[in-house]
Amino acid sequence: RLDQVDEVIERPNSGYDFYSWRTGLLAAGDPRQYDCIILANDSVVGPLVPVSDLLHDMNRTASDAYGISTSTQGGLHVQSYWTALGPRAIQHPAIAGFWQSMDAVDDRAAVIERYELGLGRALAAANLRLGSYFVPTPHERRLMAARMASHHRSPPSRQAAAAAAYALQPLRRVDESPVLALWDRVFDHARLPVVKVSLFTRNPYQIDRRAALVLLSQRFPEAFHGFADYLRRIGVDW
């Protein structure tokens, strides 16, 4: 698809995705000439819905910064694998300063704290509105809390029962991160229209990866074409 790209920038792998986005933004000239800027990385398969659907929802919700999912882990923020910035965010001096002052940080935890969470803090301080395509229901928030609480403590055979029981309890506050904990909402008409690659590489929720990939390939054949070969190339042990 490179014939659809105006410019490709090759650079040393330093600073993770945020510094790459900074490099691209600076190369693109004055950002105020754009109505929308989309930042995306390759940590997901998707979006599995048209980008026009995402942008329509962004406009419908009058969001200045918009993601496919948001998280409250460490503070409310758009999960950075896919973020769209609208005109008010693009033009705000605090957001411009956020990119200008960025350093190439090579520690993943530091990048998350300073830049993924830092962008959320900068947007909030500028009174800019955050939006999200996927909004979990109260039941899904309970289920997410259950899965996040139980997957480190229980063997896989007991996790499903523990999560189902927890999902019936009164809603509790939880630091939410839905993109992994609610990954199977992709099967609900792609309400959460991405699948994290780390679901298969790290497999934090100990899912049946083979069965999941069969279902995903059946439901989204074009998006997952060649994905199993990719996993084998990078040494994923089934």
Side-chain angles (χ1 to χ4, degrees), residues 77-159:
H77 63 281
V78 171
Q79 295 197 278
S80 64
Y81 60 84
W82 196 98
T83 303
L85 302 176
R88 291 186 68 227
I90 293 170
Q91 296 171 14
H92 199 287
I95 306 307
F98 171 84
W99 297 109
Q100 292 284 351
S101 63
M102 186 175 292
D103 296 320
V105 177
D106 288 324
D107 178 84
R108 182 174 179 272
V111 170
I112 291 172
E113 170 59 31
R114 291 175 61 175
Y115 299 132
E116 182 169 11
L117 299 178
L119 180 58
R121 291 190 292 266
L123 292 164
N127 292 317
L128 296 170
R129 181 183 177 91
L130 270 63
S132 176
Y133 185 78
F134 176 72
V135 179
T137 66
H139 171 80
E140 287 169 336
R141 291 178 59 202
R142 294 185 187 97
L143 183 60
M144 179 166 40
R147 289 174 171 177
M148 294 174 70
S150 68
H151 81 277
H152 290 300
R153 298 197 299 265
S154 304
S157 60
R158 296 173 57 189
Q159 285 176 19

Side-chain angles (χ1 to χ4, degrees), residues 8-22:
V8 176
I9 300 171
E10 294 185 77
R11 54 178 292 274
N13 186 17
S14 177
Y16 284 85
D17 46 7
F18 271 89
Y19 206 77
S20 289
W21 292 330
R22 177 188 186 274

Side-chain angles (χ1 to χ4, degrees), residues 45-105:
V45 179
L48 301 171
V49 296
V51 172
S52 58
D53 288 2
L54 301 174
L55 298 181
H56 174 76
D57 191 61
M58 179 180 178
N59 291 330
R60 180 188 64 82
T61 56
S63 301
D64 300 309
Y66 183 85
I68 291 176
S69 59
T70 57
S71 173
T72 57
Q73 289 186 321
L76 178 63
H77 63 281
V78 171
Q79 295 197 278
S80 64
Y81 60 84
W82 196 98
T83 303
L85 302 176
R88 291 186 68 227
I90 293 170
Q91 296 171 14
H92 199 287
I95 306 307
F98 171 84
W99 297 109
Q100 292 284 351
S101 63
M102 186 175 292
D103 296 320
V105 177

Side-chain angles (χ1 to χ4, degrees), residues 21-43:
W21 292 330
R22 177 188 186 274
T23 301
L25 287 169
L26 294 180
D30 187 350
R32 292 173 296 180
Q33 67 185 297
Y34 303 107
D35 295 323
C36 182
I37 293 173
I38 296 174
L39 311 169
N41 66 29
D42 63 353
S43 67

